[in-house]
Amino acid sequence: MIASLHQEDVNKWFSDWLPGRDDKLFNFDDVTFKKKSDGPTNIRVEKDLYKVLCPVIQNVFDLAAHRSSGNADYDALHIKDTSVWKEESDYLQCPDLSIHRTSAAEAFCLDDKSKKNVVDAHKCFVGRTAYSWTLLPGEIKVDKSKEGFGTTPTLDLPDTDDARQTRGQFAEYVTEILSRQHRRFTFAFYIYRNLARLFVVDRVAAVMTPPFDYIKTPMTLLKFFYRLAEADAWGLGYDPTAVLASPSDISILRDHKLNHGAIQTFINDAVDGALNHDLVSLWPLYKVEVCDHKLKKKSYFLIGKPRTPGPSMFGRATKGFVAFDLVEHDFVWLKDSWRVVSEHSHPEWEVYERLKSSNVQNIATIRCGGDVHDCTIQSTSSQDLITGCRLKGRIHSRLVINEIGFPLETYETSFELIFIVLSAFIAHEQAWKKAHVLHRDISKNNMLILHGKNGTRGLLIDWDLCKYEDEVNARTATNVNRSGTWQFISALRLQYPKKYYEVADDIESFVHVITWHALRYHHHDLLGMEDSFTIFVHDMFLQCSTSPEGLLYGCHRKWESMRSGEAGFKLISDEKLQKVIDKLMRICKSHYQSLNLDELEKFRPPSIREAVTAPEGQNGSKGPSELRKQDLGSLLAIISAASVDDNHTHSDGTGPGSTTTYCGRTLDNHTHIFEVLVGAIQDSDGWSKETKPIDRDYFAKLLDVNLTAGRRTIVGTQSHTTSSQKRSRPPQVPENKKTKWSRTSRSGARAVGGNATSTSELAAVSEEDDVDCLAAADDGVIEDLQGEMQVGSALIAHQHPDEALSLDEK
């Protein structure tokens, strides 16, 4: 299993991550912690410990500032108690303590009214939370039951709900800082009464010190804060290729901000906050550098609030921005991510060039892209500095594409849903047939609606988990868990987690994308039965268990659905979409009934085989005939060409509109799904003309909705979610509501029970493990899962999302 939390000796930790002057040069005679009855050991209320810590830490910062008084560029540090003062956003979590630069002081200011209940001596230390400007967070605990990381020299994480909640809080703060800022890594500190731990977190691992008593031996903690104050931006983990936008750059943006048609809303959302609030914005404007891998030419773009944040602490951490090109003066899409270093991984710009040279249609167009350079290529280092670490390193990369698309869920009618999915399906088929590239992450997040000058069409994006045909045909799995977005991974791979990846797995994912949207946005017979609906969605798309070997498996209702050919629900007011789903399910049934289950057992460890695997708008006028004729005509032209080029034939010779009897492994090629989707588009009569209201989301009515599975955090953590996060996260099913299905083995024996884990625990899987267990936030959805990671000698990561969870099978 891949460990994401490591512990190393204090001296080595300082040497590796925060080197500085010899200790003899420090003079902390006047900087001390109380050792008396009112000292940290005896404090029982957290806020009282803040009052002890803040003056001491600030004294260290002031000492550093005094010694650097001759440096005109010196930007002093300050400590703030931000424990109950949230920032002006819908993110509710507040670090207990936050450290910031003097230049960002305005972002932390509180008015006198907010300080009215604070004692006078502490008023200078209280401030508002401001993640975009926080250098690093600190978490404080005094309650023994809430101690999260253990008090012994060995890494022995407490296994209680309160301890997991503490680790979840801590990880949320770190994740939010890495999401908001342009950082290579960040520091953090954790204090439990008189014990302290120091942390550094990059996109591979979190490395911490053993606990040390800062009362008996204060030098270690004081040295930490002193070296922070003396470190430069590079030493603090900042990315030098992303700098705050200059007034002249912002002026150019203002002049070109308006009149961009359909994407104007995206532009406003990305930059308005920064333009209105200047340096105290929640999402300030940055000028970022992109070095093209081929031309070695640097281009510069302005970015503000990401359209798709990178809510994962480890892994790819993909962020997507509506960006302004400072040379061309137009808006483009900029993707910022940390790609894995592996011979099995292909940089996304390389893949796009391969697809373009093969004339694959319905894909994005690259403007520039490459690895991020400063003096050298930016990469993670924790994997090299940790003894015995098997984690793979990651390289920071940026990709710019010309198109800015709309998320798939913004489709207006069921006809348009099928239209866009078919566009992406054509791209997928052509990529496989012409360019010999298999996508391996088909999800709602990776299909976009493009409203352009030449009409509306769908795009298939995000090719960074792809494999080439020779790699697919090698039939080997390079990691214990798989690539993909959890909700849309094939049922076969979720049941047999060691199975190699096949074309059929991607093709099946298109079916799950359609049924997901049908359940979420269209009237069906499960509505009105809130408990049953919640359980159904959970068991079909979200349920996850972890085997003793660390393998993820689950979603057993999906397996039963594929085997039976029954979707498990019926649409009430959209007969045409229901017919499409019924045909797709019959195709899947034929494929699954043709599988050799005995042969597949080698891909399922005995522990999984023997376990009980879990429980079974407004009316609008826009209908299919009113999509712009050139939109439909353009797609049908592609369909016609694809039908000839790829030798599509109807399986029964009667045409796409007929009732077909399927047999054999029907998902091994694109033909059958292609026929169904094409037939539905060509026969435009009978489609519902109802326009899906923009705010309709039946998943939002589920019990304790949690459609994104949250933010990926340190393993063994319990997620904390805000109201806005809950609106986009998968349903959490109470234990007393979960159904217990019995499952019949091939021998006829029935098993009951199972080692099912909650959706929050799913957030624990590491993106490095290769499962994009993203749930439904937008990266398209984000690579993002939060919650529990399994603990060996370390926390197991993993993100989706982006961001995220998103585990790369690299």
Side-chain angles (χ1 to χ4, degrees):
M1 299 179 76
I2 301 173
S4 298
L5 178 64
H6 293 262
Q7 182 171 285
E8 67 178 8
D9 174 75
V10 170
N11 292 329
K12 185 176 187 301
W13 189 94
F14 273 108
S15 175
D16 288 342
W17 300 102
L18 197 58
R21 306 183 188 187
D22 188 274
D23 292 348
K24 293 180 181 179
L25 297 178
F26 290 82
N27 181 2
F28 294 130
D29 291 343
D30 297 326
V31 182
T32 58
F33 293 99
K34 296 181 180 180
K35 301 180 181 179
K36 301 178 182 179
S37 60
D38 58 346
T41 305
N42 301 295
I43 285 176
R44 295 293 180 267
V45 181
E46 279 186 24
K47 65 180 181 180
D48 291 336
L49 189 50
Y50 307 155
K51 297 171 186 176
V52 173
L53 293 169
C54 286
V56 176
I57 295 171
Q58 190 59 53
N59 282 345
V60 176
F61 293 155
D62 292 344
L63 174 62
H66 176 73
R67 290 186 56 179
S68 301
S69 58
N71 182 356
D73 296 328
Y74 187 77
D75 200 358
L77 300 188
H78 297 272
I79 184 76
K80 282 290 188 289
D81 169 1
T82 53
S83 57
V84 295
W85 294 276
K86 78 178 188 71
E87 63 183 4
E88 294 177 350
S89 71
D90 60 359
Y91 189 72
L92 303 180
Q93 299 301 314
C94 302
D96 292 333
L97 300 178
S98 298
I99 293 174
H100 69 85
R101 292 286 194 189
T102 299
S103 55
E106 187 178 351
F108 295 82
C109 286
L110 283 173
D111 56 34
D112 292 338
K113 183 179 179 181
S114 300
K115 300 179 183 181
K116 65 179 181 180
N117 294 323
V118 180
V119 298
D120 289 343
H122 195 59
K123 284 184 177 179
C124 62
F125 294 114
V126 297
R128 177 184 291 110
T129 299
Y131 284 104
S132 294
W133 306 98
T134 298
L135 177 63
L136 71 151
E139 176 69 1
I140 313 299
K141 293 296 178 189
V142 298
D143 189 330
K144 184 176 181 180
S145 67
K146 294 182 178 180
E147 204 295 297
F149 293 94
T151 58
T152 62
T154 59
L155 182 57
D156 185 17
L157 300 178
D159 188 21
T160 66
D161 288 343
D162 283 344
R164 285 189 289 271
Q165 178 173 312
T166 294
R167 295 194 291 273
Q169 281 183 296
F170 186 78
E172 286 273 2
Y173 306 149
V174 172
T175 300
E176 195 67 17
I177 287 175
L178 291 175
S179 175
R180 297 285 191 93
Q181 301 182 27
H182 299 278
R183 301 285 287 268
R184 297 157 29 248
F185 61 82
T186 187
F187 293 103
F189 64 97
Y190 172 80
I191 290 177
Y192 167 64
R193 295 189 182 179
N194 61 309
L195 298 178
R197 289 181 184 267
L198 309 178
F199 287 77
V200 63
V201 182
D202 66 12
R203 295 304 185 175
V204 169
V207 185
M208 68 179 182
T209 67
F212 55 87
D213 192 322
Y214 64 91
I215 301 300
K216 293 180 180 178
T217 56
M219 180 60 73
T220 301
L221 188 61
L222 299 179
K223 179 169 66 174
F224 170 68
F225 292 115
Y226 191 87
R227 289 190 178 180
L228 286 176
E230 293 223 313
D232 59 15
W234 175 263
L236 295 171
Y238 286 95
D239 174 6
T241 69
V243 297
L244 287 172
S246 68
S248 60
D249 291 333
I250 294 175
S251 177
I252 296 173
L253 172 62
R254 288 184 188 275
D255 291 342
H256 294 84
K257 174 181 170 290
L258 299 177
N259 304 318
H260 293 281
I263 65 169
Q264 187 64 53
T265 300
F266 293 169
I267 294 171
N268 295 344
D269 186 56
V271 304
D272 276 2
L275 294 177
N276 294 334
H277 297 92
D278 199 21
L279 290 180
V280 298
S281 170
L282 296 175
W283 295 99
L285 285 173
Y286 281 86
K287 178 181 180 179
V288 298
E289 174 186 296
V290 179
C291 183
D292 189 77
H293 73 290
K294 182 180 292 185
L295 302 176
K296 306 303 179 186
K297 174 186 175 183
K298 293 182 179 179
S299 300
Y300 295 91
F301 301 85
L302 294 185
I303 57 175
K305 180 181 179 181
R307 182 73 189 163
T308 56
S312 52
M313 188 160 63
F314 307 117
R316 286 180 293 169
T318 303
K319 303 177 189 178
F321 298 87
V322 173
F324 178 70
D325 190 325
L326 283 167
V327 174
E328 300 297 331
H329 293 173
D330 60 353
F331 286 90
V332 292
W333 184 259
L334 188 150
K335 178 179 178 179
D336 183 289
S337 63
W338 290 79
R339 65 182 185 88
V340 73
V341 180
S342 169
E343 61 182 350
H344 303 290
S345 173
H346 305 288
E348 194 169 7
W349 50 85
E350 171 195 293
V351 179
Y352 271 113
E353 288 171 354
R354 179 169 176 150
L355 297 174
K356 181 180 178 181
S357 66
S358 299
N359 196 31
V360 174
Q361 295 167 289
N362 296 338
I363 60 170
T365 309
I366 290 184
R367 177 164 297 191
C368 56
D371 293 326
V372 177
H373 293 69
D374 29 72
C375 298
T376 59
I377 293 177
Q378 285 187 17
S379 59
T380 57
S381 55
S382 59
Q383 74 284 347
D384 298 325
L385 298 173
I386 300 169
T387 304
C389 177
R390 296 187 298 120
L391 290 168
K392 297 171 185 174
R394 289 185 176 271
I395 293 176
H396 192 189
S397 63
R398 292 190 178 116
L399 176 73
V400 178
I401 62 176
N402 292 332
E403 297 85 1
I404 299 175
F406 286 70
L408 177 59
E409 58 262 32
T410 61
Y411 69 89
E412 295 188 5
T413 65
S414 54
F415 179 87
E416 187 175 358
L417 169 65
I418 300 303
F419 180 90
I420 299 303
V421 172
L422 176 56
S423 298
F425 193 78
I426 289 171
H428 185 273
E429 180 178 29
Q430 291 185 357
W432 179 243
K433 295 289 183 63
K434 296 180 178 181
H436 311 290
V437 175
L438 186 62
H439 190 280
R440 299 194 328 128
D441 186 18
I442 299 302
S443 73
K444 65 175 278 300
N445 317 314
N446 294 336
M447 300 179 199
L448 293 182
I449 303 173
L450 183 65
H451 301 293
K453 295 179 180 178
N454 297 321
T456 297
R457 62 189 174 108
L459 296 182
L460 183 60
I461 62 167
D462 286 353
W463 294 83
D464 47 347
L465 290 183
C466 77
K467 293 282 192 243
Y468 296 160
E469 186 174 13
D470 58 338
E471 297 166 331
V472 175
N473 291 340
R475 295 196 166 189
T476 57
T478 57
N479 235 319
V480 294
N481 282 313
R482 325 332 315 272
S483 65
T485 299
W486 187 260
Q487 297 95 313
F488 310 107
I489 292 176
S490 71
L492 192 60
R493 291 173 60 228
L494 295 180
Q495 286 294 302
Y496 300 93
K498 297 180 73 173
K499 186 187 82 70
Y500 50 80
Y501 207 104
E502 299 177 276
V503 175
D505 296 310
D506 260 15
I507 293 176
E508 181 185 326
S509 293
F510 281 95
V511 177
H512 299 313
V513 168
I514 292 172
T515 56
W516 170 276
H517 287 86
L519 273 169
R520 187 167 186 174
Y521 298 113
H522 297 265
H523 295 288
H524 51 77
D525 59 359
L526 296 181
L527 297 175
M529 299 181 290
E530 189 174 82
D531 288 11
S532 298
F533 185 22
T534 299
I535 294 169
F536 180 88
V537 174
H538 177 272
D539 295 349
M540 177 70 82
F541 294 108
L542 305 166
Q543 183 272 330
C544 178
S545 299
T546 306
S547 75
E549 300 87 355
L551 298 172
L552 299 177
Y553 64 99
C555 296
H556 305 288
R557 188 185 289 271
K558 182 186 289 186
W559 169 262
E560 299 295 340
S561 181
M562 295 293 99
R563 293 278 292 162
S564 67
E566 297 291 337
F569 65 94
K570 292 291 183 183
L571 297 176
I572 293 174
S573 59
D574 201 327
E575 182 180 353
K576 198 65 177 286
L577 180 57
Q578 182 66 55
K579 287 182 178 179
V580 171
I581 292 172
D582 290 342
K583 290 180 181 180
L584 296 177
M585 294 307 299
R586 289 203 299 271
I587 293 171
C588 294
K589 177 181 179 180
S590 173
H591 185 85
Y592 273 72
Q593 289 187 340
S594 301
L595 298 174
N596 185 332
L597 298 185
D598 290 319
E599 177 67 18
L600 285 168
E601 283 303 317
K602 65 184 179 183
F603 300 115
R604 179 162 57 176
S607 59
I608 296 179
R609 189 179 310 132
E610 296 167 3
V612 180
T613 45
E616 292 196 358
Q618 303 163 343
N619 288 330
S621 60
K622 183 177 179 180
S625 61
E626 294 171 81
L627 274 172
R628 290 175 55 178
K629 290 184 178 181
Q630 62 265 41
D631 300 345
L632 187 55
S634 176
L635 182 61
L636 292 178
I638 296 175
I639 290 170
S640 176
S643 299
V644 174
D645 294 344
D646 299 316
N647 194 30
H648 286 295
T649 58
H650 301 305
S651 54
D652 63 353
T654 58
S658 64
T659 301
T660 305
T661 300
Y662 300 100
C663 61
R665 291 177 57 102
T666 46
L667 297 178
D668 280 348
N669 59 66
H670 295 76
T671 299
H672 301 287
I673 301 293
F674 182 88
E675 288 178 357
V676 171
L677 299 181
V678 169
I681 292 297
Q682 291 177 330
D683 180 15
S684 60
D685 294 334
W687 283 94
S688 171
K689 294 185 182 296
E690 180 189 31
T691 299
K692 173 173 64 69
I694 193 171
D695 59 346
R696 177 192 291 171
D697 182 354
Y698 293 127
F699 285 0
K701 302 179 185 300
L702 301 183
L703 299 174
D704 191 14
V705 174
N706 170 8
L707 281 184
T708 62
R711 295 176 181 272
R712 183 160 55 260
T713 66
I714 291 178
V715 176
T717 65
Q718 181 171 312
S719 303
H720 284 259
T721 52
T722 66
S723 57
S724 64
Q725 290 171 325
K726 284 185 176 182
R727 285 195 296 272
S728 59
R729 295 184 58 183
Q732 304 293 301
V733 183
E735 286 298 325
N736 63 351
K737 299 285 188 183
K738 290 184 179 179
T739 57
K740 293 293 184 181
W741 285 22
S742 60
R743 189 161 179 268
T744 305
S745 69
R746 294 192 319 283
S747 64
R750 297 181 74 81
V752 182
N755 182 28
T757 61
S758 69
T759 307
S760 64
E761 292 174 308
L762 181 61
V765 193
S766 165
E767 187 170 348
E768 181 66 30
D769 270 348
D770 204 337
V771 178
D772 218 355
C773 275
L774 282 197
D778 289 285
D779 198 358
V781 162
I782 311 176
E783 299 170 70
D784 169 51
L785 277 157
Q786 181 171 19
E788 305 245 302
M789 301 173 182
Q790 311 239 349
V791 182
S793 60
L795 299 179
I796 304 305
H798 125 172
Q799 21 57 78
H800 238 248
D802 252 155
E803 81 218 147
L805 58 170
S806 176
L807 308 185
D808 306 330
E809 179 186 312
K810 303 296 188 186

